Amino acid sequence: MSAFQARLTVDLDALAANFALLRRLAGAAEVAPVVKAGAYGLGSAPVARRLQAEGAKSFFVARLTEGETLRGALGEGASIYVLDGCPAGSAERLIASRLTPVLNSLEQVEAWSAARGGPCVLHVDTGLNRLGLRKDEAEGLAKAQSAQGGLEIAVIMSHLSCGASHDHPMNHRQAESFAAIRALFPDARASLANSGGLFHGGGFLHDLVRPGITLYGGGPFDHADPRIAPVVTLEAPVLQVRDVPAGESVGYDGGFTAPRAMKVAILAAGHADGLLRAQSPAGWAVFDGLRRSFVGRVSMDLIAVDVSEDQAPRAGDMVQMIGPDVLIDEVAAASGTIAYEILTRLGDRFETIYKGAVQ
Ligand SMILES: *Cc1c(COP(=O)(O)O)cnc(C)c1O
């Protein structure tokens, strides 16, 4: 272990516990982990391989290249769904890596049919207006399918626009609309829920659910949920502890002035590591079980915390920036964002440790 380097610990046992919880909540529906964007920044290969060892059979990524990499990590057995689908020119590569595209438009449907690519997922839009066929397009396709077949639709899916809001009426409108469209494709399995949808339960579960953030330690409704185990711990070393006389300022722009004589610890982590500048002044870190408030701005490589009151850390001690005592949803709230952005922005100059990795 090299000294004075921030450390990122990814607790794959906690990931497995979250997967087990989601499976219980999903009942008979298959839980297909979403491992796009490098498993939300945690590392797609170690995350997906552990989930596979826990029994996951199907995985979602966003990009073709993510799918190709994941195929290498998971071997032949896994089903890998690519949310970008089959944009022009990508069918051959999808087929070569046996990836299943999520077809998002009639153009993609045509391209995949022409390539005779095999099973696909059909994405229908029910109100998000991002990707997916409109209802009339889905109806037209269903007619053509029953007349001449041609497309092997394994799953029909849609995506919620307000999944993270517990009782938003939009969720129910989308659920109704989805139920009507899925009836047009009676042989396909159906999938509507992300993490939020999974926690809505009942009519949102269908045959397959697609959780991401709740696997990685975020709550389903953009705030911390005690049922979800923290997966990521980010610790930064103390580089120096210094005395700041009353009236002097700390950090760039003189944004913080010591109201009294203070002791501050300077930590080796900053916005280049994923701690957002917006987290000052609301941020805090934990050392020795106590919350230590940020003082001054988060800068690129450094942040200062107030250690006046209690046992001060010493150079080389590690301070928790994110983890069981500083939940990602709390960090996100202090930064004016959501846990997804905190995780996917984590930097790459940490010592990274995977607890419970599959060899
Ligand atoms: C990212 C994504 C998910 C996972 O969403 P979470 O909110 O992280 O659970 C599910 N479905 C689709 C289509 C997505 O793009």
Side-chain angles (χ1 to χ4, degrees):
M1 189 188 310
S2 48
F4 297 99
Q5 191 185 7
R7 181 163 64 215
L8 185 74
T9 307
V10 180
D11 184 349
L12 298 174
D13 297 327
L15 172 84
N18 289 335
F19 182 58
L21 168 77
L22 300 180
R23 280 178 129 181
R24 282 198 299 281
L25 292 172
E30 178 184 355
V31 178
V34 178
V35 296
K36 62 191 178 189
Y40 291 40
L42 277 55
S44 60
V47 163
R49 291 181 59 182
R50 178 63 193 266
L51 290 169
Q52 187 179 43
E54 297 298 318
K57 302 263 183 287
S58 314
F59 299 82
F60 282 84
V61 293
R63 308 277 179 254
L64 170 60
T65 49
E66 293 174 347
E68 290 171 332
T69 307
L70 192 63
R71 176 60 74 205
L74 292 182
E76 295 306 313
S79 296
I80 300 175
Y81 301 116
V82 180
L83 291 166
D84 282 354
C86 181
S90 60
E92 273 178 27
R93 280 171 63 185
L94 288 161
I95 294 167
S97 293
R98 282 160 316 288
L99 304 173
T100 308
V102 174
L103 303 179
N104 292 305
S105 65
L106 289 176
E107 292 72 44
Q108 292 198 354
V109 166
E110 268 166 39
W112 191 245
S113 305
R116 302 188 181 286
C120 65
V121 178
L122 185 70
H123 188 176
V124 295
D125 180 67
T126 51
L128 180 58
N129 269 307
R130 227 171 44 168
L131 299 173
L133 276 67
R134 296 188 62 83
K135 183 161 183 262
D136 57 315
E137 294 175 321
E139 285 165 351
L141 180 65
K143 276 206 195 94
Q145 276 290 108
S146 59
Q148 72 231 27
L151 200 60
E152 199 184 321
I153 303 171
V155 179
I156 178 154
M157 69 163 253
S158 192
H159 194 37
L160 296 171
S161 117
C162 304
S165 302
H166 193 38
D167 20 79
H168 200 290
M170 184 71 177
N171 291 324
H172 298 284
R173 284 206 293 277
Q174 286 192 265
E176 274 171 32
S177 164
F178 183 65
I181 296 173
R182 81 156 292 194
L184 301 170
F185 300 91
D187 300 333
R189 297 163 78 211
S191 176
L192 178 60
N194 68 331
S195 292
L198 202 171
F199 279 76
H200 300 328
F204 292 87
L205 297 176
H206 293 281
D207 303 309
L208 183 147
V209 293
R210 313 182 304 268
I213 194 71
T214 44
L215 286 166
Y216 309 123
F221 306 126
D222 288 339
H223 51 77
D225 185 312
R227 290 170 291 183
I228 305 291
V231 174
V232 171
T233 300
L234 176 61
E235 295 161 293
V238 175
L239 292 177
Q240 203 175 85
V241 177
R242 57 192 302 130
D243 292 304
V244 180
E248 290 196 9
S249 67
V250 178
Y252 285 133
D253 302 334
F256 175 87
T257 303
R260 54 191 151 71
M262 294 178 75
K263 215 179 253 310
V264 301
I266 311 299
L267 312 178
H271 53 74
D273 303 294
L275 301 173
L276 298 185
R277 195 166 181 274
Q279 207 186 343
S280 39
W284 42 270
V286 167
F287 176 75
D288 206 23
L290 295 170
R291 290 188 172 203
R292 316 287 181 150
S293 302
F294 287 9
V295 292
R297 296 255 156 82
V298 177
S299 52
M300 189 183 292
D301 314 300
L302 303 171
I303 172 68
V305 295
D306 180 3
V307 295
S308 310
E309 299 300 331
D310 302 279
Q311 176 97 30
R314 288 180 308 197
D317 283 343
M318 298 299 268
V319 177
Q320 187 183 120
M321 313 304 295
I322 296 175
D325 303 322
V326 196
L327 298 170
I328 51 174
D329 286 299
E330 298 176 309
V331 173
S335 312
T337 183
I338 52 177
Y340 302 72
E341 198 173 20
I342 299 297
L343 289 182
T344 55
R345 284 180 46 94
L346 288 173
D348 60 3
R349 57 184 182 181
F350 310 122
E351 176 198 16
T352 302
I353 296 168
Y354 289 98
K355 266 176 64 187
V358 175
Q359 291 317 307

